[in-house]
Amino acid sequence: MTTTHGAGAIVADRKQHFLLVRALGFGLVAVLLILVFASLAGEMREGDTRAFDMALLGASQSLRAANPWVSEVMRDFSGLGSTVVLTLFTGITVGYLALVSTRTSAFLVVASAISGSICVSAFKAAFGRARPETAYAEFVATGLSFPSGHATMSAVVFLTLGTLVASTRTLWIERTYIVCAAAFMTVLVGVSRIALGVHWATDVIGGWAFGSAWAIAWLLMAGFLDRRHLRLEGEGSPKRK
């Protein structure tokens, strides 16, 4: 019995060590993404990104002119990052998580989406960057430009939802597929905003960086709360004699 108990304790310690190292790794990634966002914002304000932005803006306009079908396809992809679609995805996933996971995870999904949206609005007001000229755009889009709301919120929502839903599956291939699908949808939304000429490329890159960091931060919080909940349940359960 002692040997079995000792082996179990070693396995548990190794698991805790692995979870801690993984959390620290993801935390480091989030910090690096925030630094990328801050650096990009500084470069943008100084005008150092204009040549890059104009090159991609012109290329996108030429692509749409040579291939009329591109505009229609990109409009559909862009719709995946709209407020209505993201709200629908969030509501459906929150219901699923409340049924198969913990209510804490469901609450954190809503909190991450709302707080992320507030941050985007604050950043847009702070940077005050105008959108590309309408002559380059497929349609007229209102509001300020940096960071891209579609790119940011698709990263926040899709990555958070994808990771939490994946955590309810047991097979690694299922979890990998779900997370990759969420990341792919995030990329599609951002690329569509550049292709349609309604955002500068750096708006989208900045949105991806901040949105991904924001998603990671909330996922780390969800993981911490889940582990704490399980630990408290374990301590509260009656010990075997």
Side-chain angles (χ1 to χ4, degrees), residues 194-215:
I194 300 172
L196 291 170
V198 294
H199 270 294
W200 305 102
T202 46
D203 297 338
V204 171
I205 297 172
W208 282 337
F210 176 76
S212 298
W214 199 250

Side-chain angles (χ1 to χ4, degrees), residues 93-112:
T93 309
V94 164
Y96 173 76
L97 291 173
L99 289 174
V100 305
S101 185
T102 64
R103 292 184 179 180
T104 300
S105 296
F107 170 77
L108 289 176
V109 168
V110 177
S112 67

Side-chain angles (χ1 to χ4, degrees), residues 38-115:
S39 175
L40 189 63
E43 295 288 325
M44 178 271 294
R45 280 193 138 175
E46 294 175 1
D48 295 337
T49 64
R50 181 166 179 78
F52 171 74
D53 282 324
M54 287 301 301
L56 287 186
L57 190 63
S60 298
Q61 186 182 39
S62 299
L63 179 65
R64 296 195 310 272
N67 305 277
W69 58 267
V70 170
S71 297
E72 184 176 354
V73 172
M74 290 300 150
R75 277 177 177 267
D76 291 340
F77 287 158
S78 179
L80 293 173
S82 67
T83 301
V84 173
V85 172
L86 291 179
T87 301
L88 180 62
F89 268 109
T90 301
I92 293 173
T93 309
V94 164
Y96 173 76
L97 291 173
L99 289 174
V100 305
S101 185
T102 64
R103 292 184 179 180
T104 300
S105 296
F107 170 77
L108 289 176
V109 168
V110 177
S112 67
I114 294 176
S115 59

